[in-house]
Amino acid sequence: MFRPARNTRSLYDWLTPLDGCPHCGYAYEREQGYFLLATWGSQYFVIAGFGLALGFTLESLGYSLTFVLWLTCISQFVLGFLFARHAKAFYLAIDHFIDPHVKHRSHERNP
């Protein structure tokens, strides 16, 4: 769905999916803004949930508030960058499962 990590040359290459499947031609992005819910919804809740859990855990272990804030902010930035590709792939898989785009064969009537 994406270029391999070793072939990425820019942030655009990392975050932008290919136009379609190289084998079957299935279009990944059906319309403008298709992955908006993936990046905003799933990525936000997963990364924010992890950040809250990390922050509360570190705070309960007695670390200083400054250390907790720095570690949580840095981990949120790094994990958000790394999880962006997975969020789009999960969203596409869920969407394809719920609303599969399969070409149905038309049943022609023989006269």
Side-chain angles (χ1 to χ4, degrees):
M1 186 169 163
F2 293 92
R3 292 181 188 210
R6 67 181 177 275
N7 293 342
T8 56
R9 304 276 185 232
S10 66
L11 186 62
Y12 181 81
D13 290 345
W14 179 262
L15 296 174
T16 307
L18 299 172
D19 290 334
C21 177
H23 300 291
C24 67
Y26 179 77
Y28 294 134
E29 189 169 4
R30 289 188 229 146
E31 59 204 25
Q32 188 78 15
Y34 176 71
F35 289 114
L36 184 62
L37 184 62
T39 55
W40 183 216
S42 63
Q43 186 173 4
Y44 176 76
F45 288 116
V46 169
I47 301 301
F50 175 78
L52 281 172
L54 178 66
F56 286 138
T57 302
L58 292 175
E59 184 67 30
S60 69
L61 293 174
Y63 289 100
S64 69
L65 183 61
T66 306
F67 176 75
V68 171
L69 288 176
W70 274 105
L71 187 62
T72 304
C73 288
I74 291 170
S75 68
Q76 294 296 291
F77 180 74
V78 171
L79 288 176
F81 178 73
L82 295 175
F83 189 68
R85 297 176 109 186
H86 299 294
K88 290 179 180 182
F90 289 143
Y91 181 76
L92 184 66
I94 291 169
D95 183 47
H96 191 64
F97 178 74
I98 293 172
D99 185 22
H101 295 274
V102 179
K103 294 179 182 177
H104 297 287
R105 294 182 185 186
S106 62
H107 298 289
E108 297 179 8
R109 296 171 56 181
N110 292 333

